[in-house]
Amino acid sequence: MYQVGEFVVHEGSGICKIAEISEMALAGKGSEQDYYILTPYYEKGSRVMTPVENTKVRMRPVMSKKEVEALIEKMPEVAEIREDNDKQRVQKYKESLAAFEPEELVRIIKTVYNGKKRRISAGKKILMGDEKYIQIAEKRLYEEIAFAMEMEVKDVEQMISDRIEKRK
């Protein structure tokens, strides 16, 4: 169980602070249960309520600086999604998002980024499905990295690029 004041990654709302834990009856009499009241870090003024004993929406601890450093070190070795069929590739993006793991977000970003480069060099258009999923993956990953590294989200992509380039 998380404690008031802790930060977590909420599957739908990203980085959130546990503002309080309250017993509520949202579904009617006799349905009292404990709820986390969360405040999303990047969506000021919002609140999210989720049952403490939740089986539908997942939460996990925010990565530490050390875990972010390890993930960045591992990024060059993360395999791309290898699927030529557009619909099946989009399904794999959905599966990667559902895994709720930072490494899977890296997999999506690498796949789309490198796929865009290949398509552009072949004179082809960028696929809208790819664009949609790279935006989702980048938002989720970069916000968590920015939070853990105490930096601005806008600076995360450059920081990652710089670190990967230094190792080449």
Side-chain angles (χ1 to χ4, degrees):
M1 185 166 158
Y2 298 107
Q3 303 301 314
V4 172
E6 285 185 272
F7 284 91
V8 295
V9 180
H10 180 272
E11 190 171 32
S13 298
I15 307 292
C16 292
K17 183 177 184 178
I18 309 275
E20 62 183 278
I21 301 171
S22 289
E23 184 177 79
M24 290 188 238
L26 295 184
K29 200 167 194 170
S31 63
E32 293 82 11
Q33 61 179 316
D34 287 337
Y35 280 80
Y36 290 119
I37 311 300
L38 310 171
T39 55
Y41 187 76
Y42 291 104
E43 295 177 36
K44 303 297 182 212
S46 296
R47 286 174 36 125
V48 177
M49 292 180 281
T50 190
V52 169
E53 299 298 325
N54 191 347
T55 58
K56 293 181 181 175
V57 177
R58 295 175 292 176
M59 295 190 309
R60 63 172 173 75
V62 177
M63 286 188 289
S64 67
K65 284 184 180 182
K66 193 173 189 174
E67 289 168 322
V68 167
E69 294 287 345
L71 179 65
I72 292 170
E73 285 292 317
K74 189 177 184 180
M75 283 180 180
E77 289 81 46
V78 173
E80 290 181 41
I81 296 169
R82 296 287 181 195
E83 181 56 63
D84 293 331
N85 180 291
D86 295 343
K87 287 183 181 181
Q88 290 176 352
R89 188 176 56 258
V90 165
Q91 181 57 39
K92 291 191 186 252
Y93 293 156
K94 290 176 183 177
E95 291 167 9
S96 286
L97 287 175
F100 196 49
E101 291 295 329
E103 188 173 319
E104 289 299 314
L105 298 174
V106 171
R107 187 176 319 284
I108 293 169
I109 294 165
K110 281 185 73 171
T111 300
V112 175
Y113 178 79
N114 291 329
K116 279 170 47 172
K117 285 191 337 189
R118 288 189 293 272
R119 290 187 68 79
I120 289 168
S121 69
K124 296 180 181 179
K125 291 182 180 179
I126 299 166
L127 301 171
M128 292 307 293
D130 287 356
E131 280 297 310
K132 174 185 173 184
Y133 286 97
I134 196 171
Q135 287 175 0
I136 293 167
E138 285 179 333
K139 181 179 185 327
R140 289 181 183 180
L141 183 65
Y142 294 173
E143 284 181 356
E144 185 171 3
I145 290 173
F147 182 85
M149 301 298 283
E150 299 175 5
M151 58 190 301
E152 295 293 322
V153 175
K154 65 181 175 56
D155 299 327
V156 170
E157 186 174 9
Q158 187 62 52
M159 184 258 314
I160 291 170
S161 296
D162 291 348
R163 290 189 185 189
I164 289 172
E165 286 300 316
K166 282 182 186 176
R167 282 184 273 141
K168 288 184 177 178

